[in-house]
Amino acid sequence: MAEVRAEMVANVWKVVVAEGERVEDGDTLVILESMKMEIPVLAEDSGLIAQLKVAEGDVIQEGDLIAVIE
């Protein structure tokens, strides 16, 4: 299992994947917005999205869990 965590404080602008969806290494999971910039969060492993812990409009902190890939 791989945990995808936030690297900064940001707003969740768009959720691109859903739980149960298959992703490949490098696929965009969510797009964050911080200081008028869009920052894609990429999968670092291939697998299934076991848990998606954010929704559009959420404010996340550095280190918050975004998703779990197994």
Side-chain angles (χ1 to χ4, degrees), residues 3-23:
E3 292 184 342
V4 179
R5 295 192 174 269
E7 296 182 6
M8 66 185 74
V9 176
N11 296 313
V12 178
W13 181 70
K14 184 169 180 102
V15 176
V16 180
V17 297
E19 283 189 12
E21 189 173 329
R22 178 149 188 80
V23 295

Side-chain angles (χ1 to χ4, degrees), residues 14-39:
K14 184 169 180 102
V15 176
V16 180
V17 297
E19 283 189 12
E21 189 173 329
R22 178 149 188 80
V23 295
E24 298 297 324
D25 184 15
D27 286 354
T28 300
L29 305 178
V30 299
I31 300 173
L32 304 178
E33 185 273 326
S34 180
M35 298 173 52
K36 306 292 182 198
M37 293 175 43
E38 294 176 8
I39 302 114

